[in-house]
Amino acid sequence: MNILFLQWKVKLPLQKEVITSDELMAHLGNCLLSIKPQEKSEGLQLNFQQNVDDAITVLPKLATGLDVNVRFTGVSDFEYTPECSVFDLLGIPLYHGWLVDPQSPEAVRAVGKLSYNQLVEKIITCKHSSDTNLVTEGLIAEQFLETTAAQLTYHGLCELTAAAKEDELSVFFRNNHFSTMTKHKSHLYLLVTDQGFLHEEQVVWESLHNVDGDSCFCDSDFHLSHSLGKGPGAEGGSGSPEKQLQVDQDYLVALSLQQQQPQGALGLTDLELAQQLQQEEYQQQQAVQPVWTWTRALSPQGRGATSGRPAGERRQRPKHESDCILL
């Protein structure tokens, strides 16, 4: 529905701030019924009508979720289900990024062209097999699912960036969630729909450039947003176009450099970077901090006298004596 709104295929009344799921389903149903088959042959028209009927039947399920089953061979590869007919009829691409890295031949052989559901069944079967080769293959397949639990791999992200068309609106499936995705100037962005950003007018898109979830927020023009958590008049909420352009260019350059880094050398997250800087600062302070020593308070009789002990040697002091600490 967000894609249909952005494509102006569905319009809402002005000043309308709340819409019910029933109203959304009504809009979607009208869009499906308004589609006309492009082919005029009787067989294709019957097939088209069957797809429309399947899509209308699926509509009540949309409020709770869709049943999609990914295949690990391509970003557009899904096992066909009646739910997929909704995307096909509306001409909306459906993508995912959960792919097997071709540089891991053992994982490629273990996963093959199976869908997620088929792979889970294969793992269960292989675990109970008496054939050691099958057991090993099952363990490799299980390890692939465990290490890619985020359902997005670096190979998948590269393939996704290559497959998506410039300024194309599509649906991105990951972790049982569907997000509106677009590609702008060769970078992928997801539409921000979290209610926590409801009053953040400068937060519209979220970048998708790594698998760890470390992203940046942008406004409707894909300019890096600096006003997160600030009011409209807060500092950073506005600036000269030249300054904003420079910031955006710096961000895109940094993004490109980060994407060019190998998997093991990706940049740190904000939290990890902050922890690293804090640790370095602490170590620097420790290096220049003077050693704490205990000194006996001088009495009037012994002021300025030396004890004759070797330097650094400590002696037991009565509890009533006071101490000084060099800070």
Side-chain angles (χ1 to χ4, degrees):
M1 287 307 302
N2 283 327
I3 290 179
L4 295 178
F5 287 133
L6 292 172
Q7 292 176 340
W8 294 99
K9 293 182 178 179
V10 176
K11 298 180 181 180
L12 295 178
L14 295 177
Q15 309 302 324
K16 187 175 184 63
E17 297 182 356
V18 178
I19 186 169
T20 66
S21 58
D22 292 338
E23 290 175 317
L24 286 177
M25 295 305 103
H27 283 299
L28 183 56
N30 292 333
C31 285
L32 292 172
L33 294 175
S34 65
I35 300 174
K36 303 298 180 183
Q38 298 180 352
E39 301 292 339
K40 296 184 178 181
S41 63
E42 183 177 355
L44 291 176
Q45 286 188 357
L46 290 176
N47 184 53
F48 173 81
Q49 188 59 45
Q50 181 61 48
N51 289 337
V52 173
D53 293 341
D54 291 341
I56 296 297
T57 304
V58 169
L59 289 185
K61 301 180 181 179
L62 296 182
T64 56
L66 285 176
D67 180 19
V68 295
N69 191 15
V70 304
R71 297 185 185 275
F72 306 97
T73 51
V75 295
S76 300
D77 294 348
F78 292 85
E79 179 183 348
Y80 184 81
T81 59
E83 287 80 356
C84 293
S85 61
V86 178
F87 299 96
D88 294 339
L89 289 171
L90 295 173
I92 297 176
L94 177 62
Y95 295 120
H96 72 91
W98 200 0
L99 302 186
V100 182
D101 191 340
Q103 296 183 358
S104 302
E106 293 182 347
V108 172
R109 286 193 298 268
V111 175
K113 297 183 179 180
L114 301 178
S115 66
Y116 172 79
N117 292 343
Q118 293 171 337
L119 186 60
V120 171
E121 293 176 359
K122 176 181 178 178
I123 293 173
I124 296 175
T125 302
C126 290
K127 280 186 173 181
H128 296 85
S129 174
S130 58
D131 188 342
T132 56
N133 292 329
L134 288 179
V135 173
T136 301
E137 193 168 297
L139 292 175
I140 294 174
E142 185 177 30
Q143 184 182 20
F144 165 74
L145 293 182
E146 291 177 352
T147 56
T148 60
Q151 298 185 8
L152 178 64
T153 63
Y154 286 104
H155 173 64
L157 184 58
C158 293
E159 291 294 311
L160 186 63
T161 305
K165 299 177 182 179
E166 188 71 14
D167 296 325
E168 174 188 63
L169 289 170
S170 58
V171 171
F172 176 61
F173 175 76
R174 181 186 183 187
N175 289 334
N176 295 326
H177 285 80
F178 297 87
S179 302
T180 301
M181 185 178 73
T182 191
K183 182 179 178 181
H184 181 72
K185 294 184 178 180
S186 302
H187 296 285
L188 299 177
Y189 296 89
L190 303 178
L191 185 67
V192 177
T193 57
D194 192 287
Q195 191 170 357
F197 298 98
L198 179 62
H199 300 292
E200 296 289 347
E201 296 182 359
Q202 299 301 316
V203 176
V204 179
W205 297 98
E206 179 182 6
S207 63
L208 178 64
H209 58 269
N210 63 38
V211 303
D212 300 322
D214 187 15
S215 58
C216 300
F217 294 105
C218 302
D219 61 16
S220 58
D221 295 320
F222 300 97
H223 294 152
L224 193 61
S225 177
H226 303 280
S227 59
L228 190 61
K230 300 179 181 179
E235 182 180 357
S238 61
S240 64
E242 293 79 7
K243 182 180 295 185
Q244 180 63 55
L245 178 61
Q246 182 62 44
V247 170
D248 295 336
Q249 290 176 346
D250 293 343
Y251 164 67
L252 291 177
V253 170
L255 199 60
S256 300
L257 291 175
Q258 185 180 22
Q259 291 178 339
Q260 292 172 7
Q261 291 178 340
Q263 179 173 350
L266 288 176
L268 299 176
T269 63
D270 293 342
L271 177 59
E272 293 171 338
L273 181 60
Q275 291 174 340
Q276 178 178 323
L277 293 175
Q278 186 178 18
Q279 180 65 21
E280 292 176 356
E281 182 179 359
Y282 173 76
Q283 292 175 351
Q284 292 175 358
Q285 292 178 351
Q286 289 294 100
V288 300
Q289 184 176 356
V291 179
W292 287 21
T293 58
W294 294 91
T295 60
R296 181 173 179 271
L298 297 177
S299 62
Q301 295 84 359
R303 189 181 303 274
T306 57
S307 62
R309 287 192 188 87
E313 181 178 343
R314 301 178 182 178
R315 68 178 183 82
Q316 298 294 330
R317 305 178 304 282
K319 291 184 179 181
H320 67 273
E321 292 181 347
S322 61
D323 298 320
C324 295
I325 303 175
L326 297 180
L327 296 179

